Every structure is written in C-alpha cells, then in structure tokens.
Amino acid sequence: MDRKKRLDGKVCIIVGGGQQPGGTIGNGRATAERFAEEGATLLVVDINSEWARDTLDAVRKFGGEASLLQADITREDQCQAIARTCVDRYGRIDVLHNNVGRSTGDRKTTDLDADTWDSIMAMNLKGMFMTCKHVLPHMIERKSGCIINISSTSSLAARPTLTYKTSKGAVNTMTQHLAMENAAHGIRANAILPGLIDTPMAIERRARERGVPREQVRAERDALVPLGHMGSAWDVANAAVFLASDEASYITGVLLPVDGGLLVKRG
C-alpha cells in the first residue's frame, strides 16, 4: 500500500524558493522539493526568476503541479500579486512559507548606516508582514491555513551585528501575534529558527568576503555546534513539512529551533 502523502491536496506558496548558486542546496529549494514530494501544489516565488526556474525544474520530477512567480516582497503591490496569483491559478492558499532574509552589509550599531538598516528590515520583516497581510484574507475566508516564517537562532543568541538579529526577533513576535490573532479563524502560524546550516547563502558569501576556502568556513561552523556539524537545508525542510501537515494541526505560535543544540549551548 502506498504511503499517504503528508501534504496531499494542499496549495503552498514558497516565498524565496529559488536556488542560489553554490555547492549545497538552499532552504527554499529543499522545502519546495520536500513539499512537492509530499503531494503539495506549489507556487514558487523569488525575486530571481532563473533561480526559481531551477527549483521548478527540480520539483517537477515528483509529478505534482507547480508554477513560478517573480516578485519583490519589499513592494506591497507585488506581495498582493503573490496571493492573487495563487488563488487565480489554484483556487485557494493552504500554506504560506516565508523563506526570506539577508544580512549582507549588517554592522555593529556604531558602524551601521540607516540605509542598510532600512533595506535589511524591508526584506526580513516588512516583506514577511506584507505577504502575510495579503494571504490572510483568503485563509480567513476559508477558515483554514498555515503560515510558516523562517526566523533564525540569531534572534535569541548573541550576534556581532544589529539589524539581522533585530529583524528576526521581530519575526518571532510577529509570528506569535499572527497565531493569536487568527486562531479563531482556524489559521496556524509558526516560525522555524535555523541555526548554522550549510547553504549557499551561509557559506559562499562568507568564504568570498573573507577570502578563505569554503571548507575552512564549514569547519569553523561545525565546531560551534553541540552535535558536531552544521545542519543541511533538508533539516529545515523536514521541519517545514511537519508544521505544514495535519500532524501539526494543534501547534501554533511555536518558535522551533533547528540548530543541533546551538541555543542550548548558548543558554
């Protein structure tokens, strides 16, 4: 007997679903593949249409329905278009998975310029708010839905830079607010807090900026994790599958670390 697929029949938006260049898989691409493998219909959203198309090609091997949409989530009209496009193409929205964030240019407080603060906040926090804002009316109408926001363990641990930590801390509180505000409508909202994950965004940029080999960056990050190694994007994706599935139907307002024990170590 075939195993029942955990997301069978669910229509899922994955924001930030494109695959950045690099030697490993990214969180958005891995989540898209796992959602498709579990039977979901996907709208893959990314600012880079080429990256999104790579993900679309990867998920089609699972035989489900999927399409892409290029959008900049720092623009409200394009966030509104994400929700409208999903409903136009597939009739409803069951899951909104917000996999967005950047830290490039972040600094300690005295060295940080206001424009960099604004641009990081616009993507990491305001963009998530606007996608949620425009998806929620469709979920409220159906009295059902699931929102998953990708935060970070940086929101709860010491960081050498200001904006990324602050923005992800705000994602946590926003997620908890969404959970309380919309529970009466049958809508759940949870956040995943990845720790040190071996993705192109984490490794490639740090190796390039420091002028060191990728394996040096990996070894340094591995050494920080209680379990002895970084996680992979599949670890984040598997957590997302659980939260999106009916197995998590009684779970809302949760901040779920996927971090190999990093937060326990840091207290």
Side-chain angles (χ1 to χ4, degrees):
M1 181 181 296
D2 291 338
R3 176 180 66 86
K4 185 179 184 301
K5 294 182 177 181
R6 297 159 75 189
L7 303 181
D8 194 32
K10 292 187 184 293
V11 175
C12 305
I13 299 172
I14 299 182
V15 181
Q19 172 64 37
Q20 294 187 27
T24 55
I25 193 167
N27 291 332
R29 163 78 170 271
T31 299
E33 289 199 33
R34 287 291 292 119
F35 276 26
E37 186 178 15
E38 293 292 346
T41 294
L42 301 181
L43 178 64
V44 179
V45 180
D46 205 281
I47 194 170
N48 187 309
S49 60
E50 183 178 343
W51 293 354
R53 192 167 300 281
D54 287 344
T55 295
L56 196 64
D57 291 342
V59 303
R60 280 180 170 154
K61 66 186 177 186
F62 298 107
E65 192 168 359
S67 62
L68 66 84
L69 177 67
Q70 183 178 10
D72 178 355
I73 63 164
T74 66
R75 293 180 51 183
E76 185 166 12
D77 62 331
Q78 296 195 23
C79 291
Q80 187 174 23
I82 292 170
R84 184 177 63 249
T85 299
C86 189
V87 172
D88 287 348
R89 291 181 186 177
Y90 304 120
R92 66 182 193 277
I93 305 167
D94 295 304
V95 178
L96 170 64
H97 182 84
N98 273 319
N99 175 69
V100 292
R102 55 161 282 207
S103 61
T104 304
D106 206 1
R107 300 284 188 274
K108 66 180 183 179
T109 307
T110 54
D111 296 335
L112 181 67
D113 66 83
D115 287 344
T116 299
W117 167 278
D118 287 344
S119 63
I120 293 175
M121 283 291 184
M123 175 179 286
N124 294 9
L125 181 60
K126 186 179 178 182
M128 280 197 187
F129 149 67
M130 292 191 297
T131 56
C132 292
K133 172 186 175 180
H134 291 289
V135 161
L136 275 168
H138 301 282
M139 292 183 171
I140 290 170
E141 183 179 4
R142 297 185 64 249
K143 294 289 184 181
S144 177
C146 170
I147 294 171
I148 303 169
N149 293 326
I150 298 298
S151 178
S152 170
T153 53
S154 297
S155 63
L156 301 177
R159 287 276 298 184
T161 51
L162 175 66
T163 323
Y164 186 80
K165 175 181 175 62
T166 304
S167 66
K168 291 300 187 177
V171 167
N172 294 352
T173 57
M174 181 178 70
T175 302
Q176 291 171 326
H177 176 88
L178 292 171
M180 285 298 296
E181 181 184 67
N182 295 285
H185 302 296
I187 298 166
R188 299 183 296 109
N190 295 290
I192 296 174
L193 281 57
L196 298 176
I197 308 295
D198 191 346
T199 64
M201 189 175 76
I203 302 302
E204 304 295 330
R205 177 174 66 83
R206 286 175 172 84
R208 182 175 61 252
E209 288 177 350
R210 293 173 55 194
V212 299
R214 296 177 183 87
E215 290 312 311
Q216 179 179 330
V217 176
R218 289 191 170 97
E220 291 169 355
R221 288 163 65 88
D222 286 343
L224 296 172
V225 182
L227 285 181
H229 60 86
M230 285 186 291
S232 75
W234 300 113
D235 297 308
V236 176
N238 287 331
V241 167
F242 168 67
L243 290 175
S245 75
D246 292 341
E247 297 164 17
S249 62
Y250 202 58
I251 297 175
T252 194
V254 164
L255 310 178
L256 176 62
V258 179
D259 68 348
L262 195 64
L263 285 179
V264 176
K265 173 184 176 183
R266 294 185 176 183

